[in-house]
Each structure stands twice: as C-alpha cells, then as structure tokens.
Amino acid sequence: MTERLVLLALIIAAMSGVPGLLFHRNSTAGQWIAVLLSVASSSLGITGLGLFWALGDSQPITLPWRLPGAEFSVAVDGLSAIFLLPVFLISVLGNIYGLGYWNQTKHPQNGRKLRLFYGLLTAGMAVVVIARNGILFLFGWEIMALSAFFLITTEDDKKEVRNAGWIYLVATHTATLCLFAVFALLRAASGSFALVPFENHGIEPAMATTIFMLGLVGFGIKAGIMPLHVWLPSAHTVAPSHVSAVMSGVIIKMGIYGQFRLTSLLPTPPLEWGAIVLGLGAVSGVLGVAFAIAQHDLKRLLAYHSIENIGIILLGLGLALIGRSLGRADLIVLGLSGGLLHVLNHALFKSLLFLSAGSVIHGAHTREIDELGGLAKVMPWTAMCFLVGAVAICGLPPLNGFVSEFLIYLGLFGTLGQEGQVPFAGAAFAAAALALIGALAAACFVKVYGAVFLGVARSQHAQQSHESGPTMIGALSVLVACCFLIGLAPLLIVPILEMGIAAWAPDLNEKGHRIAALAPLNWITVMGLLLIATLLLVGMWLRARLRKGGVAATVTWGCGYMAPTPRIQYTSSSFAQMLVGLFGWALRPRMRQPTHMTLFPRRADFHSEVADTVLDKAILPTFRFGAWLFSWFRVFQQGNIQTYLLYIFVALIALLLWR
Amino acid sequence: MTTVIHHTIHVLLALSLPPLLLGVIAKTKAQFAGRVGPPVLQPYYDLVKLFQKGSVYSTTTTWVFRAGPVVGLVTAALAVLMIPLANSSAPVSFTGDPILFAYLLGLGRFFTASAALDTGSPFEGMGAAREVTFTCLAEPAFFLGLLVLAKLSGTLQMGTMLGAAVAHHWSSAGASLALVLVSWFIVLLVENSRIPFDDPNTHLELTMIHEVMVLDHSGPAFGMILYGASLKLFIFGALIARLIFPPTNGDPWLDWPIFVLSTLAVAVMIGVIESTMARLRMTHVPVLLVTACLFSAFGIILLVR
C-alpha cells in the first residue's frame, strides 16, 4: 500500500504545475490548483509513510521497462522513508508559502514556470529515494537536477541568476557523470542494475573502493561537501526563498541519501572510508560555518550553513562506517541515528530559516544584512520564527538540533573505547571539531539575528518593511512546532530512526542494539521541559518585580555620547571581524580600507568581501586554463564540409590500421 | 533517603554559595593591594539591593532584551544541577551530561549576547562580538578536556569522570590531567571574564567584554545577571576544585566541607592571578585560548598514543 500511495503522490505532485499553464498569466487560479494538488499529494505521501512506520507495510512494485537493463522497481524501506518525509513536508509548505511570497499576480512572467518545475522537482526527488534500479535512480536524479536548474534560474532576466544557474548546471552534470560511472561499475560487479546489497566478498575491495570514491564525489557535489560545494552558495542565494528552502532542506539531502544508500549496498568497508568521511565532515562543518560568518548576504550566509550541517551529517555517517569496520554496533547505532535525525532536523530548521529570510526579503526588499535592523518590532512573528530556527541550528537545547548533535557526540566520545571495545581514538578529535562548529554557529546566528531583527533600522528598506501574510507565517509555524516536538520528545522519533538503521545495517536490531539503551533521550525531555518551566517561572517573577519596582523608558545609554544614530550600531561585518581574521587563511577576505595621509580626515569608505575561495582560487582558474588549452583545437574547426569529411576518412583509416 | 538529603544540600549550596566566591576574590585582591576591601558578603548585599530597585529600559529594546537575563540565569542554574559537587552524583546525571551542560551554557550566552545587540549600542555590540568569538576557542578546549576525562574514566558522565578515581589517575596519568587542569583554568578565566582576558573593574567600556554587554540592564534584571555570573564562576570553580581535590575520603558528609573549602581556595587562586597579572591585549587573547586547546589536545594524545 505504501508504495502505491507514494507513487500516486508523486504523480499528483508532478502534475501540480500543469493546470496553471492553461490559465492567464495574471490569474491566481492556477496557483491555487497547484497548492491544492500539492496538499493532496503530500497528505497521500505522508499517509503512506505513516502506514509504513506503523505497520511495516511495504510491497515493492516491479514493472518491466523497455530500456535495456532498466526495470521500474520501487520500494520504501526505513532509509527511504526518512528521506521521503522532508520531500513531502517541505514541498507542500513551500507551495503554501508561495501563495504569499511568489503570488502569481506579482510575478506573472515566471510564476507558472516556477510551479511546473517545483512539482516536477518534488516528483523527481521521490523517485530518487524509492528507486531500486540504477537506471530509474538516474532518471529521477536528472529530473530533479534539471528542474532545480530551472527553479534556480526563475528570474533569468538577471545576470547574477544566470551565472549561478550556469555554475550549478556544470556542477550537477559533473556529479551525474560520476554517478554514471558508479552505476556502470555496480552493474559490472553485480551483473544487474538492481540496487541490492552485495554479499561479503561479493565484490573486490579495489572495485568497492573505486565505487565508494566516485559516489563520494558524485553525491558529494550534490550534497555540497567542502570543497565540492562551489555551486551551492550562489544557487541558494538567487533562487526564490521557498525554492532555496527546498534546495537546502531537501535537494542536497539527496546527495546524502545517495551516500547512505551506496554504503548500505557495499560490504564491510575498510577503516579508511569512515576516516575519510569523518574528515570531510569536520572540514565541511568548520569551514562551512567560517565562510557563513563572513557573509553579508542573508541567504548566502544561510547557504554556507547548509554546508556546515552537511558536515555534521557526514560526521554521523563516518562514525557509522567506522563502527561497521570495527564491528562496533554502538557506533553504528549512534552515528546513523544522529546522522539521519540531523537530515530530518536540518530539513526542518533550515527551511524555517530560509522561509523566514524570505519573509524578511518580502518585507524589506533587500538581502543585505547591514541594511536591515530592528525588524523584530515590525515583523514580530517572522522574528520569532527566525529565532527558533537560529537556536535550533546552533544545536542548543531545548530544540531539535541538540538531539541529533547529542547522538553524534555520544558516538564520537564512544570511539575512545571502553573496556573490551576496539578504540579508534583519532576520531574522537572530531568531537572538538563539533564543539567548534557549534560555537561558531552560535556566533554567526547571534550576529544575524542581532543585525537583522534587533537594534534600530539601518536603512529606509528596514524602516518601511512590513509583516508577511498568514500563508507565509502559517507555513513557518508548522516548522516551528516540528522543531519543538523533536527537541522535547525525541523518543517519538526513535522508532523511525531504528527502521532507518535496520535498512542500513539489517543485522543490528535482531541483536538488540537500541537507540534508547545507548542514549538517555528521556533526560533530554526532562531537562527540556524543566528548562521551559523554569524560564516561565523566573520570567513571571521578573515581571512581578518590575511591576513592583517601577519601569522607566529612555534611550540606549551611549557611554556619554549624546547624539546616537542608527549608523553607530555594530554592523554584522564588525561583529564578525575577529572571527574572519582568525579564519583568514581560508576565507581570504578582500578588504579596502581607508588610509589617512592628510592632516584632516577626508571622506573615507571601507569595503570587505569574502568570496568563495574554492571557486575563485581553484575551479575558475582550472576552467580558464581548460578553455585556453582547448582553444588550440579551433585549428581543426574550419567550417568547411570537405575538411570534416577528410577527418572522418582519416579516423576510419586509423581505426582500420589499429586492428 | 540519604540521596535526597545530599541532593537537597547540593541545590541549597549551589544556589547560596556562588556570590561568596565573588566576595572572596574581591577580598583577596584587596589584601594584595593593601586595602581593607569590601566585606566578603558584599555581593549578597548588592543582590538584595538590586532586586528591590526600579528599572530603566531602553526604548530600542524588544522582549529579547528582557529575556536575556532570565535565560542566562536559568541556564546557569540548571547547569549547576548537573555538575558533581561533593559526593559523586549530581541531582541530574546521565550518560552525556557534560554535552547538555556545555550547550545549556551556550544557550545562555546566545541570549545574553542577543540582548546586548538589542540595545543598538556600539559598545554592547563590541562586547557581544568578543564574547562569542572567544567562546569559539574556549569550547573546543573544554571538549578536548572532556575527552581526556572520558578516556580515563571510561564514561561520559560527569559524576564518574570527576569522581574519586581522579585521585588514582593523578598518579597514573598525571601529565594529561595537569594539562587539562591548566586548559580548563584558562577556560574558567575567559568564560567568567577575569583577568588576563577581561578586567571587570576597568573604567573604559571600549576594553571590556562581559561588563560592556550588560551596560543597559538595571535593577532586578541586572541582579539576575550578577547572580548568573556568580553561578557560572561557581560552576567552573567547582569543576577545577574537583580536578584538584577529588572526593577521596570515604565519608560523604565530610566531603561537603572539603568541597566548600577547595572551591574557596580556587576563588583565592583567581584573586591571586588577578592581583599579579595585567590584562592581555585583546589581539593576544585568541593566542592564549588556542594554547588552552593545544594543552588539552596534548593531554589526549598522551593517553591514546
């Protein structure tokens, strides 16, 4: 039943944008139909998932397909189910949000295109997750990748958008190329395109490592692992915010899904795999957040945080791989549960943040953090939702981010090894990296929240902003509720995670390795509730005290300075300055500082900017060199048909001689 | 039953003792300077006075500014329930409690710094930026130290990690523990904004960290900040005290006075450092913090080599 419901849901999702094409470009009817279809699709899909989780109901569907080697074979297992949930949840919330954010009447020229590809994207991702055949997987993958391209380039009249789309297109096809190789090699090793696990010794170690590495690159580009992330920041920035939410919350998770699926197929890995994944996770995490701190653009900053969170998820996966190599069930359980829960959590809080950022952009018409300020007064709901997302993404209790990081921490500390366990203590240093990531993320979000929502408005834009409508705030509230639910009652989500673990490592559950036995999640509930209760109590006490003692209102004390203006506020750039300096070796900030050469100060200006180091220093020079190199081949390009015929003739002769 | 009594003592002691540490530090500094100094109970008088005062709020601020002191105090108060004081189990104790402990303090810091930015004052922005920046380096040092203790004790539960066995580890892995001790002492100094990182008594706002963040708070809210800060000092002081004087005698009742004395000894130590050192240049602070990280990292390398 589950598979049928999911298939039905994805077909409806794929169709959701089609009716809109028949309506006039100024009519909102098409948008409403798309939203209704999307609601129907997601309810069906989530019902299907509910059936699967409650009853374990799964009947794989296999239909013949006329492509050679291909089979239309789909199934839902614990791993697919965890990744399907955000696909359905975030896409429907994005669609509802779009009613206010990207209303057809405001965007007549591209609204219909956006919804067509938005639906296709949802369907493509669902296909990727349930496909059990390599060809079908790639089919879904390409639908997803190409619809995402058209979504990124929604506003293709802007140069910035076309550039971002172009980089994305190059990156995603590099990824696809690697995946072609992955599935071809899988087929060479197993004899079919069916995605079924190898028996131990069913594949040569060298072959397995090649497949794993290619998968790491191919899926890693999509997931945005540092240094393969080059497409991610600009693409997330230029897309409409609800598309950014889906991209960051769901699309990049497809890369992660690929890695989870691929490693579940391959036999027991050597220790190096886990170490590599763990190392990449730590690098992505630390550098992702370091780049985020240096950004001035609200959405670009959030985009870099996606890289950071992908890093955290990889720490979980690396831990699980290490656990499998060492035969340590506890590491597998903690690593996988932490990683998978973080997939879900990141989908929730990052969508929440992107949608709140969209609400800011909708109200204030700018993404520049240093032009905003004081928005909490005019947009109280948006400010509140953003704050919840910010606390969650920093991994602070009592919200959901803490739970997944807690599980990963437990696993990382576990690599030290107790009596009778095999240690792999090098991995434990990742715990310090995770602590660094957490502290940097907190620094970054204090900066963003403070600069955007607190203090005084820094520009006209911020002064004239307004709160968003009920559809947008409604979508945000659902995500806020989910963040609190998982943060306060993590045990609710444990059965779902255990089914995911069972799909990755089938022999564990039978041996009785349970999450609840390894991690005291009940204490998280107790402490979370205690925290909220105490906060309320102390808050009420303070309120009573204030009423008794009397409250006076005045301006902020400027340490004796009598004429404060909004411009003397600490900006986000100055807030980040010390941290940017500390990470200057990686960030390479470009600064233009005023110099004082004369006795009397002249008008001076300061400019600082942190571009993507990998893109600017590695990728672009390489591509430029490639372009220069290949320009030599223009010699052969005569534009003369006789010459081309000659080439064919020469090539044929050469082939004949070669035999 | 005895557990209940011990836990009650834990809560009462943890909530009442902290301001005394501030008094002891002030007294120590006064002794060094050849002054009489304020009475050791002065912080208590200050708190009582502040809680009875009226308040002034800036018109720039929102609810976040009012929430800052509340969250700061509550998170510190909950964290204090999780650290082992005299006998080995704290009221809240489970596998992984140091992680929740560190992140609770992180939540407090998040809101204190946000409240500072809520005023729109450049000075408070400066303070907030410094606070979160230095924490980024202090947090890994703390976690690396935890790794050492987790490796030595084989658990991730603070009661056992800092339990009686620490005395035994001092003889078997003394070098590692000494490195962690130094590293955590540096963390204590930076987390509580003491010299050489920050001078709570300086007259110039431009050079402050923590004090400048709370410039605009007044009355009961400022009292909460002061009390929360003393709780935080007590928390880190207790961790250091447990590292140096682990509860080794068999009598759980005798452990309480020993613990109180050793915590006061840590406070005196802080006073001595404050009296004999100058404040570091702001740009040198990260260097010292990285050193703290490296100390702990060497501690763990010594254990797993």
Side-chain angles (χ1 to χ4, degrees):
Chain A
M1 195 61 186
T2 303
E3 281 79 2
R4 280 154 206 265
L5 284 175
V6 170
L7 275 183
L8 188 59
L10 79 86
I11 291 168
I12 297 177
M15 292 292 122
S16 63
V18 177
L21 297 177
L22 307 173
F23 288 94
H24 189 261
R25 54 161 48 187
N26 284 320
S27 145
T28 52
Q31 185 158 25
W32 278 102
I33 294 174
V35 169
L36 290 179
L37 286 177
S38 173
V39 169
S41 147
S42 291
S43 333
L44 281 174
I46 292 174
T47 314
L49 292 177
L51 282 178
F52 172 75
W53 284 321
L55 311 169
D57 167 78
S58 163
Q59 295 154 324
I61 301 173
T62 307
L63 299 170
W65 198 6
R66 290 187 57 187
L67 277 170
E71 219 174 20
F72 188 85
S73 151
V74 296
V76 171
D77 64 1
L79 209 52
S80 314
I82 289 179
F83 284 86
L84 268 182
L85 182 62
V87 170
F88 288 124
L89 184 67
I90 308 300
S91 66
V92 68
L93 289 177
N95 240 331
I96 294 173
Y97 178 92
L99 278 174
Y101 182 72
W102 209 263
N103 197 288
Q104 184 65 38
T105 49
K106 299 267 171 56
H107 299 271
Q109 69 280 36
N110 51 30
R112 293 179 297 180
K113 170 180 115 179
L114 187 148
R115 285 191 304 280
L116 177 70
F117 287 109
Y118 191 90
L120 281 175
L121 173 74
T122 312
M125 291 191 292
V127 170
V128 165
V129 176
I130 60 176
R132 288 295 172 275
N133 179 286
I135 305 267
L136 183 63
F137 183 99
L138 283 176
F139 198 75
W141 186 269
E142 274 306 282
I143 294 181
M144 168 185 89
L146 292 178
S147 349
F149 169 74
F150 288 108
L151 287 173
I152 292 167
T153 54
T154 298
E155 294 178 285
D156 49 14
D157 48 324
K158 296 180 183 162
K159 184 157 193 293
E160 177 199 20
V161 173
R162 289 196 302 273
N163 278 346
W166 177 239
I167 294 176
Y168 167 77
L169 202 61
V170 173
T172 192
H173 278 107
T174 317
T176 311
L177 197 64
C178 293
L179 296 189
F180 276 159
V182 166
F183 288 107
L185 290 177
L186 275 177
R187 152 124 199 195
S190 73
S192 92
F193 278 114
L195 298 179
V196 285
F198 283 94
E199 301 286 321
N200 261 344
H201 312 297
I203 180 167
E204 286 193 18
M207 178 67 123
T209 303
T210 315
I211 294 177
F212 171 76
M213 287 299 170
L214 281 169
L216 197 60
V217 175
F219 292 124
I221 291 176
K222 183 57 74 177
I225 299 175
M226 193 78 95
L228 305 171
H229 67 280
V230 289
W231 65 273
L232 195 147
S234 48
H236 281 60
T237 312
V238 300
S241 293
H242 55 312
V243 173
S244 312
V246 173
M247 281 213 294
S248 176
V250 200
I251 298 183
I252 61 171
K253 301 299 163 18
M254 294 298 124
I256 292 294
Y257 168 78
Q259 277 162 356
F260 273 97
R261 178 63 70 193
L262 188 64
T263 46
S264 80
L265 301 179
L266 296 171
T268 306
L271 201 51
E272 289 79 20
W273 292 14
I276 289 173
V277 173
L278 203 68
L280 280 177
V283 170
S284 300
V286 174
L287 290 185
V289 66
F291 271 100
I293 287 176
Q295 302 306 315
H296 307 301
D297 180 310
L298 184 54
K299 282 176 76 182
R300 202 173 163 84
L301 179 144
L302 292 177
Y304 275 109
H305 272 286
S306 301
I307 299 171
E308 169 222 332
N309 280 280
I310 288 296
I312 297 176
I313 296 169
L314 286 187
L315 289 181
L317 178 63
L319 205 49
L321 287 171
I322 289 170
R324 207 155 100 180
S325 311
L326 297 175
R328 289 268 309 268
D330 57 330
L331 296 186
I332 303 183
V333 170
L334 288 171
L336 275 188
S337 56
L340 288 174
L341 183 58
H342 206 74
V343 166
L344 209 54
N345 285 343
H346 182 244
L348 293 171
F349 55 61
K350 186 45 79 56
S351 313
L352 176 59
L353 286 168
F354 263 118
L355 295 182
S356 313
S359 178
V360 169
I361 296 164
H362 189 68
H365 305 289
T366 178
R367 298 195 305 250
E368 278 296 314
I369 297 173
D370 284 338
E371 293 205 354
L372 297 163
L375 292 186
K377 290 203 194 67
V378 276
M379 318 177 76
W381 293 108
T382 306
M384 186 74 102
C385 294
F386 192 94
L387 182 64
V388 171
V391 172
I393 199 174
C394 296
L396 296 171
L399 292 172
N400 56 352
F402 177 70
V403 184
S404 40
E405 291 195 18
F406 181 71
L407 290 166
I408 294 174
Y409 267 123
L410 287 182
L412 290 175
F413 273 94
T415 55
L416 289 169
Q418 297 173 17
E419 302 260 346
Q421 289 177 335
V422 197
F424 183 58
F429 282 101
L434 190 50
L436 178 62
I437 294 170
L440 286 170
C444 189
F445 275 95
V446 168
K447 162 190 131 160
V448 186
Y449 189 71
V452 174
F453 292 101
L454 303 177
V456 195
R458 291 186 176 81
S459 70
Q460 287 280 321
H461 290 302
Q463 264 169 14
Q464 294 162 354
S465 64
H466 56 87
E467 182 61 293
S468 303
T471 49
M472 289 166 73
I473 300 299
L476 292 176
S477 326
V478 174
L479 291 168
V480 166
C482 292
C483 286
F484 269 104
L485 183 70
I486 297 182
L488 288 174
L491 282 172
L492 288 180
I493 208 93
V494 160
I496 295 176
L497 296 177
E498 283 185 337
M499 290 172 93
I501 295 172
W504 197 81
D507 49 338
L508 277 188
N509 269 15
E510 297 148 22
K511 293 188 195 143
H513 295 287
R514 310 307 289 263
I515 297 173
L518 290 166
L521 294 179
N522 47 348
W523 271 109
I524 292 185
T525 308
V526 172
M527 290 305 281
L529 293 176
L530 188 64
L531 176 67
I532 292 179
T534 330
L535 282 177
L536 288 177
L537 268 178
V538 177
M540 271 160 24
W541 178 83
L542 176 66
R543 214 172 144 164
R545 271 281 141 193
L546 289 182
R547 203 166 286 163
K548 211 167 155 198
V551 177
T554 174
V555 291
T556 296
W557 194 59
C559 300
Y561 187 64
M562 294 310 286
T565 76
R567 290 190 56 199
I568 68 171
Q569 285 181 100
Y570 230 45
T571 61
S572 77
S573 328
S574 23
F575 194 89
Q577 185 215 2
M578 274 198 284
L579 282 168
V580 172
L582 281 177
F583 283 92
W585 51 273
L587 304 181
R588 315 253 161 184
R590 276 199 289 263
M591 272 195 255
R592 196 175 66 229
Q593 277 172 326
T595 47
H596 300 288
M597 297 299 285
T598 52
L599 283 177
F600 295 100
R602 290 217 199 111
R603 189 182 168 79
D605 67 319
F606 172 83
H607 173 86
S608 85
E609 173 186 23
V610 171
D612 198 284
T613 313
V614 181
L615 184 65
D616 279 9
K617 301 268 188 282
I619 305 286
L620 288 181
T622 315
F623 273 68
R624 263 184 229 120
F625 176 72
W628 172 81
L629 197 67
F630 293 126
S631 66
W632 290 100
F633 287 89
R634 285 195 200 137
V635 178
F636 300 106
Q637 195 83 355
Q638 302 287 349
N640 181 340
I641 199 148
Q642 286 85 345
T643 324
Y644 294 129
L645 283 174
L646 184 68
Y647 291 159
I648 295 173
F649 179 72
V650 171
L652 281 175
I653 295 291
L655 284 173
L656 281 173
L657 290 179
W658 181 45
R659 260 292 166 192
Chain B
M1 187 59 203
T2 36
T3 330
V4 176
I5 298 177
H6 277 295
H7 285 174
T8 318
I9 300 179
H10 182 116
V11 174
L12 291 178
L13 193 70
L15 294 183
S16 61
L17 193 62
L20 185 63
L21 299 188
L22 291 178
V24 169
I25 294 178
K27 200 73 182 172
T28 315
K29 287 171 79 173
Q31 291 293 322
F32 262 84
R35 291 181 283 119
V36 180
V40 278
L41 294 183
Q42 186 62 42
Y44 293 94
Y45 307 147
D46 291 351
L47 285 178
V48 171
K49 184 135 198 188
L50 281 171
F51 284 141
Q52 282 162 352
K53 281 196 160 195
S55 314
V56 182
Y57 279 97
S58 158
T59 44
T60 320
T61 58
T62 61
W63 67 271
V64 174
F65 183 75
R66 297 182 184 220
V70 177
V71 181
L73 176 62
V74 167
T75 49
L78 288 187
V80 99
L81 294 181
M82 305 175 67
I83 51 164
L85 299 185
N87 78 354
S88 61
S89 91
V92 176
S93 175
F94 53 88
T95 307
D97 54 2
I99 300 163
L100 180 60
F101 164 81
Y103 275 68
L104 267 177
L105 292 180
L107 181 69
R109 193 177 306 116
F110 186 98
F111 273 88
T112 312
S114 295
L117 290 178
D118 201 7
T119 58
S121 146
F123 297 100
E124 299 197 32
M126 246 174 243
R130 287 167 188 167
E131 171 99 353
V132 297
T133 305
F134 297 153
T135 303
C136 290
L137 297 170
E139 202 88 328
F142 180 70
F143 271 81
L144 286 165
L146 281 180
L147 282 175
V148 172
L149 295 177
K151 178 68 187 168
L152 284 175
S153 66
T155 64
L156 193 52
Q157 197 161 0
M158 282 205 279
T160 328
M161 290 162 83
L162 291 165
V166 173
H168 166 70
H169 299 318
W170 270 109
S171 54
S172 62
S176 287
L177 275 183
L179 287 168
V180 172
L181 182 64
V182 174
S183 161
W184 277 16
F185 202 82
I186 297 177
V187 172
L188 176 150
L189 293 176
V190 71
E191 284 286 335
N192 294 291
S193 312
R194 316 299 314 188
I195 293 175
F197 295 99
D198 185 12
D199 185 358
N201 294 328
T202 178
H203 67 284
L204 189 61
E205 291 88 350
L206 272 174
T207 62
M208 297 182 187
I209 303 174
H210 185 264
E211 296 302 309
V212 77
M213 270 206 304
V214 297
L215 275 181
D216 255 83
H217 289 284
S218 56
F222 186 63
M224 288 165 94
I225 287 173
L226 206 63
Y227 184 44
S230 72
L231 274 172
K232 216 168 147 187
L233 179 67
F234 174 76
I235 288 168
F236 282 95
L239 290 181
I240 299 288
R242 286 283 293 222
L243 263 183
I244 308 178
F245 310 101
T248 42
N249 77 42
D251 187 353
W253 302 106
L254 194 59
D255 278 337
W256 286 110
I258 295 179
F259 167 76
V260 171
L261 288 178
S262 50
T263 312
L264 293 180
V266 173
V268 172
M269 208 146 77
I270 297 171
V272 172
I273 290 179
E274 298 224 318
S275 313
T276 52
M277 274 188 85
R279 208 175 60 80
L280 281 177
R281 265 175 66 188
M282 204 64 88
T283 44
H284 288 180
V285 170
V287 181
L288 185 55
L289 288 174
V290 170
T291 315
C293 291
L294 290 178
F295 268 46
S296 282
F298 282 128
I300 180 89
I301 287 170
L302 282 179
L303 286 181
V304 298
R305 74 207 132 115

